[in-house]
Amino acid sequence: MKPPDPTVVDNAGVHSWSGTIDPLRAAATNAHLRFATIDLAKAKDRAALFAELDAALKLPEHFGHNFDALADVFEDRDWLGRHGIVLALVHATTYKRDHPTEWETLEEIFREASEFWKERHAGFWVFVA
C-alpha cells in the first residue's frame, strides 16, 4: 500500500492503514516530517494509552496525561516543530474495541489537531493500523 503524499497538507488527517509502516516512515523522511510509531498493544486502559503516547511522542514534561492536555500539546508549535508529523498507531484494534468512547475522543483530538495545523500549512498525519 502506498501512503498519500505527506507534502500535500490538505490531505492530512486520520487515515486507516494496512501493511507495514515502512512506507509511512519513508514518506515522512522524504517530506522532512517527524515520524513516530505508537504501539497500542500494551494499552489496556487510559493510563497505559497515555503512557504509550508519552513515550512514543516524547511529550513535554508538563503533559498532564489526560485528553485536554493531549489536545493542547498537539497544537503546540514548540512540540510539533516547523514542518509537521506523521503518526502510525499500530495494534490499535483491541483498544478501539475495548474502549470505544475513549477511542472516539482520541480520534477527534487527532482530527482537530490536523485541521489546526492545516490552517498553519503543516501536516499532522495519523495512520491507524
Side-chain angles (χ1 to χ4, degrees):
M1 182 172 193
K2 183 178 178 185
D5 180 353
T7 63
V8 182
V9 174
D10 287 342
N11 294 335
V14 180
H15 303 273
S16 294
W17 183 256
S18 61
T20 71
I21 61 170
D22 295 336
L24 297 173
R25 184 187 329 274
T29 299
N30 290 338
H32 306 289
L33 302 179
R34 284 178 53 198
F35 179 82
T37 302
I38 304 154
D39 189 345
L40 299 183
K42 297 179 184 175
K44 305 300 182 203
D45 57 26
R46 185 184 301 189
L49 170 69
F50 285 121
E52 293 299 328
L53 289 166
D54 194 1
L57 300 176
K58 299 172 181 54
L59 298 174
E61 277 187 36
H62 65 271
F63 173 59
H65 291 91
N66 62 64
F67 287 118
D68 288 336
L70 186 64
D72 290 345
V73 167
F74 284 168
E75 294 182 1
D76 180 353
R77 171 114 20 217
D78 290 336
W79 173 80
L80 181 70
R82 298 178 55 97
H83 303 289
I85 191 166
V86 175
L87 306 178
L89 279 79
V90 297
H91 305 115
T93 305
T94 301
Y95 197 89
K96 286 169 62 172
R97 181 192 67 227
D98 293 348
H99 306 281
T101 303
E102 290 179 7
W103 184 260
E104 283 182 33
T105 301
L106 183 61
E107 273 198 337
E108 182 61 27
I109 289 169
F110 286 140
R111 281 192 294 274
E112 288 176 3
S114 182
E115 291 302 316
F116 177 86
W117 288 111
K118 279 181 194 178
E119 294 171 5
R120 288 149 185 84
H121 310 289
F124 190 96
W125 296 81
V126 180
F127 293 91
V128 180

